[in-house]
Amino acid sequence: MEMFAFSEAAGVEDAIRAGAESGTAQQGARVRFVAGGTTLLDLMKLDVERPLAVVDINGLPLDTVTKLTDGRLKIGALVRNSDLAYHPDVRSNYAVLSQALLSGASAQLRNMATTGGNLLQRTRCMYFRNRALPCNKREPGSGCSAIEGENRSLAILGTSAHCIATNPSDMNVALTALGAVIQIEGTAGKREVPIEAFFFEPGDTPERENVLDPGDLVTSVTLPPPPQNCSQVYLKLRDRASYEFALASAAIVASVDNGTFSYIRVALGGVASKPWRSLEAEEQLYDQPVDEASFRRAADAALAGARPQSRNGFKIELAKRCIVHALGVATAS
Amino acid sequence: MRPTEVFAPAEPPADGQSARKNQLAVTLRVNGESVALQIDPRTTLLDCLRETMRLTGTKKGCDHGQCGACTVHVNGRRVNSCLTFAVMHQGDDITTIEGLGRPGSLHPVQAAFLEHDAYQCGYCTPGQIMSAAALLEEPCGATDADVKEAMSGNICRCGAYPNIVSAIQDVRSER
Amino acid sequence: MTVSPAGSSVPRIEGPLKVSGIATYTSDFNFPGLLYAVPVCATIGSGTIAGLDTSVAGSMPGVQAVYHRANIGRIYRSAPDEGLGTHLDERRPPFEDDVIRYYGQYVAAAVADTYEQAIAAANAVKVTYDAKEPDVRDQLEPEGQPNLDGERGDPDAAFDSAPVKIDQTYSTPVETHNPIELHASVAVWDGQDFTLYETTQGVVNHRDVAAEMLGVPKERVRVISRFLGSGFGGKLFPWPHSFIAAAAARDLNRPVKLVVSRDMMFQNVGHRPRTQQRIRLGAGSDGKLVALMHDSLNHTSILDDYQENCSEATPYSYSTPNFRATSGLARRNVGTPTSMRGPGAVPGLYALESAMDELAIALGIDPVELRLRNEPNKDEGLDLPFSSRHLVECLAVGAKRFGWSGRDPRVGSMRKNGLILGWGVAGCSWIAERFAAQVAVDLRDDGSARVATATQDIGTGTYTVLANVVSEKTGIPANKIEVVLGDTNLPPGPISGGSMVTASVIPAVSQAIESAQQRILMAAIETEGTPFYGLEADALAFSGGIVHRKNEGPERGMAFEKILAKAKARSTSGLGKAEATFGSEDRKFSQHSFGAQFAEVTWQPEIARLRVSRVVTVIDAGRIINPKPARNQIEGSVVMGVGMALLEATEYDARFGAPINNNLADYMVATNADAPQIEVTFLDYPDRVLNDMGARGVGEIGLAGIAAAITAAVYHATGVRVRNLPVRLEELLA
């Protein structure tokens, strides 16, 4: 790890000013904010992240969960994953988020990791994490080692010829199913970005993962008012019983009226370059009867565009079973 | 913003060595005692405890948050001390295995680990115990399966998991 | 008096130190002026170093030196030795030449005032390479003619004419030991002598190898390992980092600490090699084996010949008139393999026991019954009787405890709580031998004892077992027995390997105690004021710490500490020595431990979720000295076996030669949540051929059947036979 300048941000504006000094807010940033540290220190030790300045934002007043008057829930960027998972409002009204958070990492990491940090969690692709090997995301133009390498855990949806990295977050999948909106403050003021527009597919610029520009600070995430009469399920499939990233996961928010789906959101994790909302699955389900045949049509539709690699073709079937089973659990009476 | 103290000696080099350059002043409160330190901003809380403060009960197993051997309490919560910089902990209350209990005055979790043979080589044990002590205060369900899940961030390669679970359940049943 | 004799479960004597963080492991040592060394690892899998530029690194803050081939100084080779005398697996000294033979090979090392400075400097060393394509292929082919390891009868003809045949190839991947304690060396040089704090399972061997490689007499090297954060074989023999630390300490005249990082643990400190094993079984329709052939291959490194010995347990496992075992090596660009828990038998029995399960299915015979029908009445490989073999009882007791009679053999037929159940069984075994050992026992004037030997406790409970043994033999309570291990200043003790420490030290302890006691009897007859003054020593006896006349009971005797006090002696010291049986030519028995393992898996095809839910293990390992840690050993083996069966594999990238999943998130070992319900039973038949207490070891046997039992259970649940570990859920998805 190279020497860096360490400072503590006294306020949001202070942090923005420091962050604006960076040439990019994406891979290769010269200035990094540190909150929980669980991604940043990990990658700094691997020399994958090499900031010249690290700005500690833990002192900023962004660590509360607030019920807004219009019914939305505002989650400060510094709210820890464990606090969010066990927050009474989240447990009762946004169960899919609580389940997703508790399925991720370990208790220690959840005590450290923040909402903003989890949102910006980086891929677990083993080639991205090994500085000695080519990786387009880490070193644009160097080539993707994963496409012809060990890609069992990597993405089958939203990939490109340049990158097949998976977004590893469980939280992001639940936030996508819930229709979260990201609040950002930057040099040009405040703005809001729906989570589906927040992340980019890799295309030919895999080093650029999201909308953030230098100086941009994620300050909060808001959830729409609790979906009414909906059941919520997060199902995560993996090799190990715990403490592992998803091979495939599904977040379901569903409402059933008279035996058919009246509201449905399907998001997938562990299989895509970004938290993956499946409009195709949702279209297959609206107004359809709640039965396994509908679930299967939805699952087929969700994976229709999948592009398997040499070792991860099984994820197509795995993701389908994940969707079907999660829908079954969500609609079990 | 707190003035950037980096790249300027925080104090005159004591021994003329370059090791003193680029150091930051921080006061850590560890096991109830405040200690003023000059540390490299790159120093993790784990390395600070072990190499600077000589509190070697906290162990390094992976240095990447993948094993839990470095678990300590920060303000009463269990964290991986390998994934946080020491300079970020000015004013925080840090507890390590040395602060939990000593032979003769063992914490109930330590005593239960001894009684249940909840270890073999003992290397992951401080992390397991710090994790278990924190778990007592967490919203963890009552079953063995709940405890197993809650303790899965602490790898024991010797595989003493059955005894770890029984030690923890023993302590919980006494409370 | 609270005697804690062998056979009763007492907490480990070192336990209070372990639960309070006081126990001192290698990397916990710190000395004034300590420097930190961080190696630089090759980023190619094969080729040569073209250029190595340390100019930037060498001028970075705090850097004291950057070592590489040109400036490390002379590190000698340790000449080969018969057996395990003076041994290391990777024999090339660090930086010996500019050839890169595996990814991650050390090419340089930065030494600095702080760890952070050393890391930064190591990263700043610029190395360029002439790279060649590495060979890390999984598919193995023998280099030259395979070795013939054993043969009897005419196996080819018998197999060809057998009514029922199994001919399958099984493979096991590279497994990495991954003890949670990172390998480490803290080297101290005082201008004349080295003191090396090492993560080693063999302080004496490490001392002997280090003396030769550093070019100094043995007495100039002291190796210390008070506590070891386990090793599983990976810490049996020295690795190159140790010599980098020692050479740097000597050159800089400062203590040097080098801690191997977790990613380096996948490259530089050994692994269980990949194995590929063809098993051929021929049987009559009655299930009796008529032919058994076991042809095994394992990969090894470019420079070293590491033999896994997969067929080690095969010749004596089952009765068959026609038998052959062969083995061969395939050379790859990988770090040198080494022993990993149950070397040979663990991958070998996975293959053999899996084939036995396939044979049982082919015959329509219950797999427990098939094993009973092939039970030998002697070791047919050595043509010797077994010292003690109770495999049949292990199978019977295990079947009962597991509920095996309730098994429906049809695939996918059993269910519980909506989950498909699979049940499987396998036998296991492990050698029961002794290494040479010397032990000193001091009996002291405060009624205490001190027992000392240069073996080490790697987590298996050696500290406690020694206290138990001395307690039983002297009557001194365990809490008054000081056990000192892990220091080459002590009488030479065995490596902690092969599950042999307990068995090895018992005869030496007995002899040492007898010697110390004899000296107390001598003191008793020569010291005025004892009731025995002037008697002949052979008129006296020693019972439970009391000296008394042979023709009287101990109630009329005198405690040994009082005799010492009267003789104005602080203590008497006795030294015991016991010879090795391991490698002995002159043996009258085949000595092994045996066991049976029964596994239950649950399978949910709708979410492709496979879990091991229950394991019953019955072990015949002689007399168990301390049941609590012994049970813990077996339970831990079962947990490791879950990893071996379902999770663990080091994956090498074919283009770069890198072990690409070189961390604990991508190389997965079992977590607490993966641990099944585990039941362990010990049969407890003393094996007095091995030592007077009849004790064998239990460190390895529990891993020897578990993978085969789990894959048999997976077949029973899913109908998929996995012959290439680990079981991946994608293989079960069809």
Side-chain angles (χ1 to χ4, degrees):
Chain A
M1 193 183 297
E2 286 171 36
M3 182 56 77
F4 55 84
F6 176 83
S7 61
E8 292 171 1
V12 169
E13 286 175 14
D14 198 21
I16 291 169
R17 205 160 39 239
E21 298 293 314
S22 189
T24 175
Q26 304 292 324
Q27 179 61 31
R30 293 201 304 270
V31 181
R32 279 294 185 201
F33 301 130
V34 64
T38 54
T39 293
L40 185 65
L41 269 81
D42 178 34
L43 293 178
M44 286 176 72
K45 289 179 186 195
L46 296 170
D47 260 16
V48 170
E49 282 285 339
R50 309 169 84 175
L52 299 174
V54 172
V55 180
D56 183 353
I57 59 170
N58 283 296
L60 304 184
L62 304 172
D63 59 349
T64 54
V65 179
T66 319
K67 187 99 179 162
L68 302 179
T69 50
D70 60 6
R72 290 181 302 153
L73 192 72
K74 182 180 171 191
I75 303 161
L78 291 173
V79 173
R80 307 287 152 171
N81 285 178
S82 52
D83 291 329
L84 186 58
Y86 292 123
H87 191 277
D89 244 333
V90 173
R91 292 191 95 155
S92 53
N93 295 324
Y94 305 97
V96 67
L97 177 57
S98 182
Q99 292 167 24
L101 285 163
L102 293 177
S103 76
S106 67
Q108 292 96 311
L109 290 165
R110 294 193 294 266
N111 278 339
M112 304 173 78
T114 61
T115 308
N118 194 331
L119 189 75
L120 301 175
Q121 197 178 156
R122 309 298 298 281
T123 185
R124 303 296 305 185
C125 175
M126 295 182 278
Y127 298 94
F128 173 71
R129 293 169 61 81
N130 186 332
R131 191 169 69 109
L133 306 182
C135 166
N136 285 327
K137 185 185 280 294
R138 178 170 31 76
E139 201 78 45
S142 63
C144 174
S145 300
I147 287 173
E148 291 179 16
E150 290 301 327
N151 50 39
R152 179 174 184 266
S153 66
L154 297 180
I156 52 174
L157 290 166
T159 59
S160 74
H162 303 279
C163 183
I164 58 170
T166 314
N167 186 301
S169 169
D170 294 299
M171 182 193 82
N172 289 346
V173 183
L175 291 180
T176 300
L178 289 167
V181 175
I182 318 299
Q183 282 76 43
I184 302 164
E185 291 191 42
T187 50
K190 301 182 180 183
R191 66 190 198 277
E192 293 201 324
V193 181
I195 190 164
E196 285 172 71
F198 183 82
F199 295 100
F200 298 147
E201 291 181 26
D204 52 12
T205 55
E207 73 280 8
R208 185 164 182 84
E209 297 178 356
N210 56 50
V211 301
L212 296 180
D213 288 320
D216 280 350
L217 179 71
V218 172
T219 54
S220 60
V221 173
T222 51
L223 301 178
Q228 294 303 300
N229 303 318
C230 278
S231 57
Q232 304 181 26
V233 169
Y234 187 73
L235 177 65
K236 178 173 180 175
L237 305 184
R238 49 185 164 185
D239 299 299
R240 193 156 79 170
S242 183
Y243 203 10
E244 186 192 354
F245 295 92
L247 286 170
S249 71
I252 306 287
V253 179
S255 184
V256 174
D257 272 334
N258 297 322
T260 63
F261 284 100
S262 57
Y263 180 86
I264 180 71
R265 297 276 292 222
V266 177
L268 303 179
V271 290
S273 57
K274 61 178 206 171
W276 194 259
R277 182 174 172 195
S278 182
L279 289 167
E280 299 84 352
E282 293 171 13
E283 278 167 22
Q284 286 294 325
L285 289 167
Y286 266 110
D287 302 323
Q288 293 299 306
V290 175
D291 60 25
E292 185 144 339
S294 302
F295 303 166
R296 291 210 169 278
R297 279 196 300 277
D300 288 343
L303 276 299
R307 272 186 299 195
Q309 304 295 330
S310 55
R311 289 197 63 197
N312 67 4
F314 74 97
K315 281 191 168 189
I316 295 175
E317 176 62 20
L318 189 70
K320 286 182 184 177
R321 291 193 195 186
C322 189
I323 294 167
V324 169
H325 193 73
L327 285 167
V329 173
T331 56
S333 43
Chain B
M1 186 171 298
R2 193 168 80 159
T4 302
E5 294 160 286
V6 175
F7 301 134
E11 64 172 34
D15 50 6
Q17 283 182 22
S18 52
R20 289 259 163 222
K21 271 205 298 197
N22 297 328
Q23 302 222 335
L24 289 173
V26 65
T27 299
L28 297 183
R29 198 160 68 248
V30 180
N31 300 330
E33 259 179 65
S34 288
V35 184
L37 299 167
Q38 299 287 327
I39 48 176
D40 190 314
R42 295 171 294 186
T43 305
T44 62
L45 179 58
L46 171 62
D47 288 325
C48 180
L49 291 168
R50 288 181 53 78
E51 306 297 336
T52 306
M53 304 184 73
R54 309 280 165 90
L55 291 169
T56 55
T58 307
K59 302 303 186 200
K60 181 182 285 189
C62 71
D63 221 14
H64 286 274
Q66 299 165 353
C67 78
C70 67
T71 302
V72 300
H73 297 176
V74 173
N75 300 326
R77 293 156 62 123
R78 49 173 162 160
V79 302
N80 297 120
S81 62
C82 72
L83 286 184
T84 189
F85 292 122
V87 289
M88 292 164 62
H89 292 282
Q90 176 87 34
D92 284 338
D93 225 330
I94 296 158
T95 306
T96 70
I97 189 75
E98 289 90 347
L100 197 68
R102 311 296 283 168
S105 59
L106 294 177
H107 183 278
V109 172
Q110 291 172 309
F113 268 59
L114 189 61
E115 174 64 26
H116 288 261
D117 204 40
Y119 52 82
Q120 287 178 21
C121 75
Y123 191 83
C124 74
T125 307
Q128 299 277 0
I129 289 174
M130 295 309 288
S131 218
L135 181 153
L136 300 178
E137 311 301 328
E138 292 172 5
C140 175
T143 68
D144 284 1
D146 294 321
V147 172
K148 285 155 75 84
E149 167 58 30
M151 288 299 292
S152 279
N154 291 83
I155 304 291
C156 173
R157 184 57 157 160
C158 297
Y161 298 131
N163 294 351
I164 290 170
V165 174
S166 62
I168 294 169
Q169 291 293 50
D170 198 1
V171 176
R172 295 175 94 205
S173 70
E174 298 289 315
R175 286 161 63 94
Chain C
M1 186 162 74
T2 53
V3 181
S4 305
S8 63
S9 275
V10 295
R12 291 169 202 250
I13 61 173
E14 80 287 10
L17 301 180
K18 285 181 173 172
V19 300
S20 58
I22 296 170
T24 311
Y25 298 80
T26 298
S27 65
D28 298 341
F29 284 93
N30 206 317
F31 298 97
L34 182 79
L35 300 173
Y36 294 83
V38 172
V40 180
C41 295
T43 54
I44 61 166
S46 178
T48 51
I49 299 172
L52 195 143
D53 179 0
T54 63
S55 56
V56 172
S59 60
M60 287 171 72
V63 175
Q64 299 289 335
V66 181
Y67 292 105
H68 47 91
R69 180 183 56 72
N71 67 356
I72 187 71
R74 190 75 191 267
I75 302 177
Y76 297 88
R77 283 197 174 218
S78 173
D81 192 31
E82 289 257 326
L84 302 175
T86 302
H87 185 83
L88 78 170
D89 281 322
E90 181 169 345
R91 294 187 47 238
R92 174 187 177 275
F95 314 154
E96 190 185 54
D97 57 23
D98 283 338
V99 181
I100 303 302
R101 298 176 181 87
Y102 62 88
Y103 187 97
Q105 181 182 316
Y106 300 138
V107 295
V111 183
D113 293 336
T114 71
Y115 174 63
E116 292 75 19
Q117 292 167 335
I119 291 249
N123 283 339
V125 174
K126 292 190 184 72
V127 191
T128 53
Y129 300 96
D130 291 325
K132 293 194 289 193
E133 194 180 325
D135 182 358
V136 292
R137 285 170 300 131
D138 282 351
Q139 185 68 34
L140 306 182
E141 71 301 313
E143 184 185 63
Q145 269 301 104
N147 295 318
L148 180 63
D149 298 325
E151 191 170 34
R152 54 184 190 257
D154 184 349
D156 296 302
F159 179 77
D160 286 344
S161 61
V164 182
K165 295 187 185 78
I166 296 294
D167 181 356
Q168 294 292 354
T169 298
Y170 305 85
S171 61
T172 64
V174 171
E175 294 163 14
T176 305
H177 308 70
N178 277 315
I180 299 302
E181 182 197 28
L182 300 162
H183 287 238
S185 294
V186 179
V188 181
W189 165 254
D190 67 3
Q192 179 169 312
D193 290 349
F194 285 103
T195 306
L196 307 178
Y197 299 83
E198 296 286 351
T199 50
T200 178
Q201 296 174 240
V203 289
V204 175
N205 179 70
H206 194 110
R207 189 264 321 268
D208 294 351
V209 171
E212 292 188 354
M213 293 186 68
L214 296 168
V216 298
K218 272 188 199 178
E219 62 270 24
R220 295 264 168 260
V221 182
R222 180 182 180 193
V223 174
I224 291 175
S225 178
R226 296 289 184 202
F227 287 95
L228 189 75
S230 210
F232 310 113
K235 293 170 181 168
L236 275 171
F237 307 113
W239 295 102
H241 67 268
S242 173
F243 310 110
I244 296 174
R250 178 162 59 183
D251 187 55
L252 296 167
N253 210 18
R254 301 263 298 268
V256 172
K257 179 187 290 192
L258 191 162
V259 180
V260 172
S261 62
R262 181 58 61 183
D263 56 317
M264 294 177 201
M265 298 274 282
F266 288 80
Q267 302 160 169
N268 307 85
V269 292
H271 57 268
R272 193 199 300 279
R274 184 169 184 82
T275 75
Q276 188 173 300
Q277 306 173 58
R278 182 183 182 193
I279 302 270
R280 279 170 286 179
L281 301 178
S285 53
D286 59 353
K288 298 273 259 186
L289 287 171
V290 295
L292 196 175
M293 286 179 274
H294 190 169
D295 302 301
S296 62
L297 299 171
N298 68 263
H299 83 194
T300 189
S301 57
I302 299 299
L303 292 181
D304 300 297
D305 290 358
Y306 175 80
Q307 296 270 2
E308 178 69 12
N309 296 329
C310 288
S311 64
E312 184 252 314
T314 314
Y316 64 82
S317 285
Y318 297 107
S319 178
T320 178
N322 303 292
F323 171 86
R324 186 168 62 232
T326 70
S327 61
L329 296 178
R331 220 162 278 288
R332 294 287 182 269
N333 289 109
V334 296
T336 300
T338 193
S339 304
M340 180 169 167
R341 199 177 208 170
V346 163
L349 284 174
Y350 157 66
L352 177 62
E353 290 298 284
S354 293
M356 286 296 281
D357 195 65
E358 297 204 53
L359 179 63
I361 290 163
L363 286 160
I365 296 177
D366 181 279
V368 171
E369 173 61 25
L370 179 69
R371 288 169 171 91
L372 298 181
R373 289 189 196 179
N374 288 287
E375 174 68 8
N377 55 24
K378 64 174 180 182
D379 180 331
E380 295 178 2
L382 295 173
D383 195 23
L384 288 174
F386 292 106
S387 61
S388 177
R389 172 172 169 135
H390 301 278
L391 177 62
V392 168
E393 188 173 337
C394 289
L395 286 163
V397 171
K400 186 154 185 228
R401 302 201 74 93
F402 189 80
W404 188 257
S405 62
R407 175 174 177 266
D408 180 340
R410 292 170 301 158
V411 166
S413 62
M414 294 178 64
R415 271 161 214 273
K416 187 177 173 188
N417 301 331
L419 310 176
I420 298 173
L421 296 185
W423 286 4
V425 62
C428 55
S429 71
W430 185 245
I431 53 172
E433 298 284 354
R434 297 195 325 250
F435 290 124
Q438 296 188 26
V439 177
V441 174
D442 298 353
L443 300 176
R444 300 190 289 211
D445 65 347
D446 56 359
S448 70
R450 176 183 192 269
V451 53
T453 175
T455 187
Q456 43 289 308
D457 188 338
I458 66 171
T460 48
T462 304
Y463 275 112
T464 307
V465 159
L466 273 163
N468 293 150
V469 170
V470 173
S471 179
E472 172 159 312
K473 289 178 179 291
T474 61
I476 298 170
N479 62 10
K480 293 191 80 173
I481 296 168
E482 180 191 0
V483 184
V484 187
L485 306 174
D487 183 346
T488 50
N489 278 0
L490 306 173
I495 57 168
S496 299
S499 304
M500 281 147 68
V501 169
T502 299
S504 302
V505 296
I506 286 172
V509 170
S510 302
Q511 213 186 77
I513 288 170
E514 273 167 36
S515 162
Q517 289 180 339
Q518 187 61 31
R519 292 183 62 200
I520 287 177
L521 299 187
M522 296 299 291
I525 61 173
E526 289 180 6
T527 302
E528 285 186 55
T530 78
F532 315 113
Y533 179 60
L535 295 176
E536 293 293 321
D538 59 12
L540 300 181
F542 213 109
S543 313
I546 309 290
V547 176
H548 60 94
R549 292 170 196 251
K550 275 186 182 160
N551 56 8
E552 292 178 355
E555 65 284 355
R556 300 200 54 186
M558 183 179 246
F560 77 87
E561 58 266 35
K562 287 191 179 154
I563 290 173
L564 285 170
K566 295 239 182 253
K568 299 187 172 59
R570 165 64 176 136
S571 63
T572 58
S573 187
L575 182 67
K577 298 184 185 184
E579 299 302 314
T581 64
F582 186 65
S584 163
E585 302 283 320
D586 174 34
R587 56 175 66 247
K588 297 184 174 59
F589 293 95
S590 165
Q591 297 168 206
H592 296 89
S593 290
F594 297 92
Q597 301 193 287
F598 293 77
E600 175 185 273
V601 301
T602 62
W603 169 236
Q604 291 170 272
E606 64 277 16
I607 50 172
R609 181 173 288 168
L610 178 72
R611 299 283 182 257
V612 181
S613 49
R614 193 161 67 90
V615 173
V616 168
T617 301
V618 183
I619 297 289
D620 159 32
R623 179 175 170 207
I624 300 301
I625 303 280
N626 193 343
K628 201 175 239 184
R631 182 175 307 278
N632 201 334
Q633 283 294 308
I634 302 298
E635 290 173 348
S637 300
V638 168
V639 170
M640 189 178 272
V642 170
M644 178 185 174
L646 304 186
L647 301 169
E648 295 183 36
T650 302
E651 310 270 5
Y652 290 83
D653 182 281
R655 299 153 299 170
F656 309 109
I660 192 71
N661 57 337
N662 57 359
N663 60 78
L664 291 177
D666 294 308
Y667 181 101
M668 280 181 293
V669 303
T671 67
N672 203 320
D674 293 283
Q677 182 193 324
I678 304 172
E679 191 191 304
V680 180
T681 303
F682 292 112
L683 294 187
D684 226 17
Y685 288 108
D687 180 356
R688 296 220 159 76
V689 169
L690 194 59
N691 55 55
D692 59 84
M693 294 178 83
R696 304 195 290 235
V698 291
E700 287 159 282
I701 188 168
L703 189 60
I706 184 70
I710 290 172
T711 51
V714 168
Y715 174 81
H716 183 219
T718 68
V720 178
R721 175 68 62 176
V722 177
R723 303 186 185 93
N724 186 4
L725 292 183
V727 177
R728 296 286 192 196
L729 59 85
E730 49 265 44
E731 297 172 68
L732 311 180
L733 273 177

